[in-house]
Amino acid sequence: MRAKLIVGNWKMNGSRAANAALLDGIAAGLDGAKASIAVCVPAPYLQQCEDALKGGPIAWGAQDVSAYSGGAYTGEVCAKMLSDFACRYVIVGHSERRAYHGESSELVAKKAQAALGEGLTPIVCVGETLEQREAGRTVDVVGAQLGAVLELLPAEAVGKIVVAYEPVWAIGTGRTATPEMAQEVHAQLRAQLRARAGSAADGVAILYGGSMKPENAHELLAQPDIDGGLIGGAALKAQDFLAIIHAT
Ligand code: PGA
């Protein structure tokens, strides 16, 4: 059985003081937790995470990475810099970056490749909009998003990624995919991974994201192909994040 992975996506939230309180609050409630846990934080707070979390059970990571390895790319942060702060994870292709920063699936694939090149685990996000779902295009859309990554990576690297299925219409809206809806897409993604990487696909964690909260986490996480969660809003409150961790 795959171990569950619960990742907090802080998005553009936090301050040194708020982060310290949040991390202390999470650490205080971890007794008996079975899941692997990580927080993906704004880049300026990576040092704070490294200082606070080093040697403990919570891993940390970033929310984006450059496709380039360094040099004259003002404002970018490369994978080597993330590994300099001992990041384990980096989110790539979050729908907010696809929508507000025009990131294509091809660029997302290059970012995943750059992350893997530095020993980081990319959390590759895919998901359809409400319009695409209503048009019956969910499978095509998420299939193409994941497909771009699978095309660029060598088959042996596929087992090293994490995938996050995040229906765009469920992110930050309070609307959640039903466990059955999510499981259907997760099974599809698993089949696509298997077609590319064979049995290594069985080890890939496929997370669900989109208004996961204490009230719905247990049912979602009980689905056979839902291996954890990528949590936005509920990751900013220690009690809620802990409740999701303990729901695994
Ligand atoms: P949400 O965000 O939990 O606030 O819906 C999830 C995400 O965007 O990763």
Side-chain angles (χ1 to χ4, degrees), residues 9 11 94 96 166 170-173 209-212 230-234:
N9 172 12
K11 308 196 180 189
H94 190 280
E96 287 150 15
E166 298 204 307
I171 294 177
T173 58
S211 299
M212 194 187 270
L230 183 57
I231 324 294

Side-chain angles (χ1 to χ4, degrees), residues 124-233:
V124 178
C125 299
V126 300
E128 81 289 2
T129 63
L130 186 58
E131 198 184 10
Q132 289 164 334
R133 173 162 282 269
E134 286 175 346
R137 294 182 50 222
T138 299
V139 167
D140 290 351
V141 169
V142 301
Q145 289 171 338
L146 181 61
V149 175
L150 299 185
E151 209 170 286
L152 191 66
L153 298 183
E156 61 275 15
V158 172
K160 296 182 183 154
I161 70 172
V162 168
V163 176
Y165 168 56
E166 298 204 307
V168 177
W169 48 270
I171 294 177
T173 58
R175 290 184 62 178
T176 322
T178 64
E180 296 73 26
M181 275 158 92
Q183 167 58 25
E184 194 182 345
V185 179
H186 281 232
Q188 166 72 30
L189 294 168
R190 179 90 56 208
Q192 193 178 356
L193 290 163
R194 209 173 274 135
R196 177 78 177 99
S199 59
D202 296 329
V204 174
I206 307 180
L207 313 181
Y208 170 80
S211 299
M212 194 187 270
K213 48 192 177 229
E215 299 75 39
N216 59 26
H218 182 78
E219 236 192 327
L220 284 160
L221 293 167
Q223 300 300 310
D225 286 294
I226 301 186
D227 306 315
L230 183 57
I231 324 294

Side-chain angles (χ1 to χ4, degrees), residues 21 35 98 106 140 243:
R98 292 179 192 261
E106 290 67 34
D140 290 351

Side-chain angles (χ1 to χ4, degrees), residues 27-113:
L30 280 182
D31 266 3
K34 292 189 188 75
S36 299
I37 305 156
V39 289
C40 288
V41 308
Y45 298 128
L46 289 172
Q47 178 73 68
Q48 184 181 15
C49 284
E50 186 180 10
D51 292 343
L53 302 176
K54 203 172 189 166
I58 305 174
W60 59 96
Q63 299 170 10
D64 184 32
V65 65
S66 178
Y68 301 106
S69 59
Y73 298 99
T74 301
E76 292 277 86
V77 174
C78 65
K80 211 182 206 42
M81 294 169 181
L82 299 183
S83 51
D84 207 12
F85 289 91
C87 288
R88 185 177 307 164
Y89 297 99
V90 59
I91 297 170
V92 296
H94 190 280
S95 65
E96 287 150 15
R97 296 212 59 86
R98 292 179 192 261
Y100 309 143
H101 301 272
E103 292 194 9
S104 66
S105 294
E106 290 67 34
L107 178 63
V108 172
K110 287 184 186 148
K111 291 183 171 200
Q113 186 183 43

